Amino acid sequence: MSVLAKELGDDFLCCVLCQELLKVPRLLPCLHSICSSCASFRLDKSDKFISCPICEDMVTISNFENIYPNPWLKNIISVINITQNSEGKFCSFCELKGGYQEAVATCLTCFDLLCKTCWESRHTFTTLTKDHHVVSIEEAQSGCYDSEMRSNQTICCSVHKKEYYKFFCKTCDVPICRDCTVLQHRSHDHISPKDALKYSELCLQKEIDRVEKGIIQLKIQQSELDKQSKDSENCEENLRIQIETTCNSMINKINAQRRSLERSLTQSLKNPKEKTKLKTELAKNKIRLLERTTSFCKFLLKYGTDFEILSLQSLVMRRVKHTSVKLDQCPSSENRVTMPRLSTSWKEPDFKLIFENGLNAVENDTLPMETKSVQTDEEEKNKTVMGISQSDVGIQCNIIERDILKGDKAVQTCRYSDMIIQCSLLATRCFVNLQTPKISCLSWMTNESFIAVDQCNSNVNLCFLAFSGNGMVLENCINSTVTSWCIAIRTGSSEIIVLDHNWSKKNCVSNVSVLFATPPLSNLLACTTNYAISVFSHGMTLLKRLEFTDTKGNPLVLKDPRFGCIFSSGKFAVSDFDNDFVFIFDENARLFRKEFCFPGPIAIDKDDLIYIADFYEHRVIVTNFEGSLRNTINLLPHVSHPRSISISSDYKLAVAFRNSVALFQLRIENVS
């Protein structure tokens, strides 16, 4: 392709109608070009109307000749045809004589195509053409002679077809030929093309500068509109999430209350129903015996002879007289089962979208993080979190937001009894992969690094706070935990893969439902089925295997255990999705108490405080083994639907949600 063709491109060289290289181009008032044949065809069909398909301008044209010829593009395309489309064409001289010799050269002066014979012995051997410059087609196609060919091109006068434009009529503001100067423009002011071009270039450049300034302003407006559109989309998305979250939260509260009421109803009526059923069976047996006795007596009187009846009367009378027709424990009105009455208090939810021209500070604090105003550059410069730079967290883990919350409104404080918890957002990280990541588990290795399990992409990522880390592919991985001597990863095949801290495989454990979270630097590794727990120490030594029992010592089977944690003392907690409880057991696997909540992921800190993630309420419940302490950390607006949590030895709380991880700094104070 020639240099001219590459630089101009199809937008200028192709017809706006047929989309092919222009043939005898004409110029529309909108400065888009069209083939003469296409223009003629369109005029014939549209009754003197031509609509440009690019800018959709409608042009009214009385006849075809009123469409401006485009000599500039005509000459450009001529050069392109010579330099690009000359192969396979025939010699111009030979065609005049009826011969068909393939052209191998072209004249840059008169643009004739020449065969080898005409090139070497004819074209430059006449008086008129002896100074013509002839080159091979290959040389012409290189683009080296484009400027020379363009300088040799001329434009025919629109009035005198055999003459070329040589002058410019300043009076009529049109180019003219030699004949025009002595005929139609005889007494007009004629100037040279160079002088006319100086003035024309000056005027045109002024208009170009004006339009380009307008383009810059339009681009600024477009950028602002794009930003407004993006902000609107982000705001809409966040509002939809809030609507969905709020409605789901209310629905889940109602469902949880329904299940609680159903369980309470079943438990309260269990013993009375059993007693009533037993009494019903006793009454049936009593009726059956009495009916048999009366039937015997009736048949004896009906079918017995006199002496048969008289010989049995004493025995029969004694039996009938001593037969009681009353139940031993007949239910009276005082002893009837008291049925509960359902009491409901319902207020219809009131959801509104409030549109205002301005937002005050209080309203701004309630908006999603994405819709809040951006902090100033000075505030951004002052942002440091324990000296962590603005680099990537680790492999496939990019920073999308970093905040230090300051002030009473930003730092969340939870106080209950003798414990105060302050929670500040440090950073939010986003994982990127070929498929949308699903962070199913987090586990701190040190205070500066954590493991993130990407269940969707079968990746186990080691993420660092200050520099990039490493990752490994592990098929069907679900969750993980870290002890002082190993990294344990549970797969979807109910198997635990045990690795050392150098990521070398050491052991496997099969038939496991739940892999327990452990306190930081713990030497215990625990896992469970739905009815028993197994606890291992360093080197996979089995310390104990105990079956669950309830508070009375009876065997206990969990319906759907999902998450768990083990205390440093050997006590443990397991969340059961089907029962809406977190079951908390002592070191002998005997049930100590139940924590009622939506049972999500569980973590434990070095002080043996339990952290329970509530998926639908977007919060973390903090409690202890006895239940004497209970705090709530609200995660909104930073986090919604927490999928996993983990806490480091310096109280950094990592929360996984969607394809991101939020890092919080907790400050726990004990007050007396």
Side-chain angles (χ1 to χ4, degrees):
M1 182 180 290
S2 69
V3 177
L4 282 172
K6 286 182 180 179
E7 188 171 349
L8 292 175
D10 292 343
D11 288 345
F12 286 97
L13 299 177
C14 291
C15 173
V16 295
L17 292 179
C18 66
Q19 298 299 315
E20 294 181 359
L21 192 66
L22 286 161
K23 303 177 186 65
V24 192
R26 297 270 175 168
L27 190 64
L28 297 174
C30 58
L31 302 186
H32 290 122
S33 297
I34 186 173
C35 297
S36 295
S37 57
C38 294
S40 177
F41 177 77
R42 182 60 63 92
L43 284 174
D44 291 341
K45 293 192 66 175
S46 59
D47 192 21
K48 299 182 181 180
F49 288 98
I50 291 182
S51 176
C52 176
I54 304 298
C55 55
E56 298 182 353
D57 281 353
M58 184 68 72
V59 182
T60 304
I61 299 173
S62 58
N63 58 69
F64 173 76
E65 296 301 327
N66 289 341
I67 305 178
Y68 282 83
N70 193 340
W72 168 58
L73 280 183
K74 180 182 178 182
N75 287 339
I76 291 287
I77 291 171
S78 297
V79 173
I80 293 173
N81 285 329
I82 292 171
T83 58
Q84 186 175 331
N85 303 322
S86 296
E87 293 183 0
K89 293 188 177 181
F90 300 112
C91 174
S92 303
F93 282 0
C94 293
E95 280 187 310
L96 292 175
K97 299 178 180 180
Y100 296 97
Q101 294 294 325
E102 185 177 357
V104 296
T106 183
C107 177
L108 303 182
T109 307
C110 64
F111 307 110
D112 281 342
L113 293 173
L114 305 171
C115 65
K116 187 175 182 181
T117 303
C118 294
W119 175 17
E120 295 176 349
S121 58
R122 292 178 181 171
H123 190 69
T124 56
F125 290 87
T126 68
T127 305
L128 295 176
T129 61
K130 64 183 179 65
D131 295 326
H132 285 199
H133 186 190
V134 181
V135 297
S136 67
I137 289 177
E138 289 77 9
E139 289 180 295
Q141 289 176 342
S142 66
C144 299
Y145 300 100
D146 287 355
S147 298
E148 183 178 345
M149 284 189 286
R150 290 284 292 129
S151 64
N152 291 328
Q153 287 181 320
T154 56
I155 302 175
C156 292
C157 177
S158 59
V159 179
H160 311 101
K161 302 298 182 182
K162 294 183 180 182
E163 293 292 330
Y164 302 108
Y165 287 139
K166 292 183 179 180
F167 305 99
F168 187 82
C169 178
K170 194 174 180 180
T171 306
C172 300
D173 198 27
V174 293
I176 57 176
C177 67
R178 184 192 59 186
D179 291 353
C180 291
T181 60
V182 295
L183 295 174
Q184 288 87 350
H185 302 269
R186 181 176 53 189
S187 58
H188 293 181
D189 186 8
H190 307 152
I191 59 176
S192 67
K194 289 185 178 180
D195 293 337
L197 186 60
K198 288 180 182 179
Y199 177 75
S200 180
E201 281 183 342
L202 182 63
C203 295
L204 187 58
Q205 190 59 49
K206 285 183 179 179
E207 293 302 316
I208 290 173
D209 293 341
R210 180 185 65 81
V211 173
E212 286 183 341
K213 288 180 181 178
I215 291 173
I216 292 173
Q217 294 298 322
L218 286 174
K219 285 183 177 180
I220 294 174
Q221 293 178 8
Q222 180 191 358
S223 178
E224 292 176 351
L225 290 172
D226 289 340
K227 185 177 181 300
Q228 290 179 12
S229 177
K230 188 174 181 180
D231 290 344
S232 298
E233 290 176 359
N234 290 337
C235 184
E236 180 184 3
E237 180 181 357
N238 287 308
L239 285 172
R240 289 185 184 279
I241 292 174
Q242 285 187 12
I243 292 170
E244 181 182 3
T245 299
T246 304
C247 294
N248 286 340
S249 176
M250 297 186 69
I251 292 170
N252 284 297
K253 283 182 179 179
I254 294 172
N255 287 334
Q257 193 170 16
R258 175 179 61 82
R259 290 192 292 270
S260 177
L261 288 172
E262 289 173 348
R263 284 194 297 268
S264 178
L265 180 62
T266 301
Q267 193 65 31
S268 62
L269 295 180
K270 182 178 179 181
N271 290 336
K273 285 171 66 177
E274 290 178 353
K275 290 180 180 179
T276 303
K277 185 177 180 181
L278 179 61
K279 290 178 180 179
T280 302
E281 291 296 326
L282 291 174
K284 287 181 180 179
N285 292 334
K286 187 78 172 179
I287 292 170
R288 187 170 60 254
L289 292 174
L290 291 174
E291 286 178 344
R292 191 175 183 282
T293 300
T294 56
S295 297
F296 180 85
C297 295
K298 288 179 180 180
F299 289 143
L300 179 62
L301 293 174
K302 185 175 181 180
Y303 299 109
T305 62
D306 296 344
F307 286 102
E308 289 173 347
I309 295 172
L310 293 174
S311 62
L312 296 176
Q313 70 167 343
S314 59
L315 178 61
V316 173
M317 288 296 293
R318 187 165 56 251
R319 174 63 180 170
V320 173
K321 285 182 179 180
H322 289 86
T323 299
S324 173
V325 295
K326 293 183 179 181
L327 287 174
D328 295 336
Q329 296 180 347
C330 183
S332 61
S333 59
E334 293 84 5
N335 296 327
R336 288 181 180 176
V337 178
T338 303
M339 296 298 293
R341 179 177 60 85
L342 179 63
S343 175
T344 59
S345 178
W346 172 258
K347 183 178 180 181
E348 185 176 352
D350 185 16
F351 301 134
K352 293 180 180 179
L353 289 175
I354 301 175
F355 296 90
E356 296 182 1
N357 293 330
L359 294 173
N360 57 36
V362 176
E363 293 167 330
N364 190 47
D365 285 342
T366 64
L367 290 176
M369 289 296 295
E370 290 79 2
T371 61
K372 294 184 180 179
S373 59
V374 180
Q375 292 178 313
T376 63
D377 293 337
E378 187 63 30
E379 291 173 330
E380 291 291 335
K381 292 178 183 177
N382 293 332
K383 286 186 177 182
T384 55
V385 182
M386 301 175 292
I388 299 172
S389 64
Q390 297 278 1
S391 60
D392 290 351
V393 179
I395 189 166
Q396 299 171 329
C397 184
N398 301 325
I399 297 177
I400 59 171
E401 177 185 344
R402 182 179 296 278
D403 289 314
I404 296 181
L405 304 182
K406 299 179 180 179
D408 296 336
K409 292 184 180 179
V411 178
Q412 183 185 155
T413 302
C414 309
R415 180 166 183 166
Y416 184 91
S417 184
D418 297 332
M419 180 172 63
I420 297 176
I421 299 178
Q422 286 189 334
C423 177
S424 302
L425 179 69
L426 295 180
T428 304
R429 323 282 189 188
C430 181
F431 283 73
V432 181
N433 212 315
L434 295 178
Q435 297 183 11
T436 302
K438 176 184 177 183
I439 309 303
S440 58
C441 185
L442 299 173
S443 304
W444 286 95
M445 283 199 69
T446 66
N447 290 338
E448 303 299 324
S449 63
F450 59 89
I451 291 175
V453 177
D454 180 0
Q455 183 178 354
C456 181
N457 295 288
S458 296
N459 283 334
V460 180
N461 300 311
L462 176 59
C463 303
F464 293 86
L465 296 181
F467 56 89
S468 297
N470 300 311
M472 64 177 290
V473 176
L474 187 62
E475 290 297 329
N476 207 12
C477 54
I478 295 179
N479 60 357
S480 65
T481 192
V482 177
T483 70
S484 61
W485 54 275
C486 76
I487 301 168
I489 301 171
R490 184 172 72 90
T491 66
S493 56
S494 301
E495 180 183 51
I496 292 178
I497 299 173
V498 181
L499 313 170
D500 62 18
H501 285 189
N502 294 322
W503 299 87
S504 299
K505 186 175 179 181
K506 294 296 182 183
N507 216 320
C508 288
V509 181
S510 302
N511 300 321
V512 173
S513 299
V514 179
L515 176 62
F516 281 12
T518 60
L521 304 178
S522 172
N523 65 341
L524 298 179
L525 175 64
C527 56
T528 182
T529 63
N530 61 343
Y531 64 91
I533 181 175
S534 299
V535 182
F536 302 89
S537 65
H538 193 280
M540 290 302 293
T541 302
L542 182 63
L543 295 181
K544 60 182 178 180
R545 188 179 188 279
L546 301 171
E547 294 186 356
F548 303 151
T549 58
D550 60 17
T551 54
K552 297 180 180 179
N554 299 319
L556 176 64
V557 178
L558 302 181
K559 294 183 179 180
D560 188 13
R562 298 281 185 92
F563 302 94
C565 68
I566 186 167
F567 295 72
S568 54
S569 61
K571 302 169 184 176
F572 61 94
V574 184
S575 63
D576 189 344
F577 265 49
D578 199 53
N579 286 317
D580 287 341
F581 281 113
V582 174
F583 292 82
I584 301 176
F585 297 86
D586 63 18
E587 58 272 14
N588 298 315
R590 188 185 184 105
L591 181 64
F592 179 77
R593 71 181 183 91
K594 294 186 289 186
E595 180 77 26
F596 176 72
C597 65
F598 184 85
I602 303 178
I604 189 166
D605 66 13
K606 63 182 181 180
D607 301 321
D608 283 346
L609 288 177
I610 309 171
Y611 296 76
I612 306 169
D614 193 325
F615 183 81
Y616 288 109
E617 295 294 331
H618 322 288
R619 62 181 182 174
V620 175
I621 298 170
V622 185
T623 185
N624 59 358
F625 177 79
E626 295 81 9
S628 58
L629 300 176
R630 196 177 192 278
N631 286 327
T632 300
I633 301 173
N634 293 315
L635 301 176
L636 290 175
H638 313 295
V639 174
S640 62
H641 301 304
R643 293 187 176 276
S644 179
I645 57 174
S646 183
I647 187 163
S648 64
S649 59
D650 60 350
Y651 301 105
K652 283 198 289 287
L653 177 64
V655 185
F657 64 105
R658 296 194 297 274
N659 64 332
S660 304
V661 176
L663 302 176
F664 297 87
Q665 181 65 60
L666 303 183
R667 287 179 291 277
I668 302 178
E669 300 176 9
N670 293 318
V671 294
S672 56

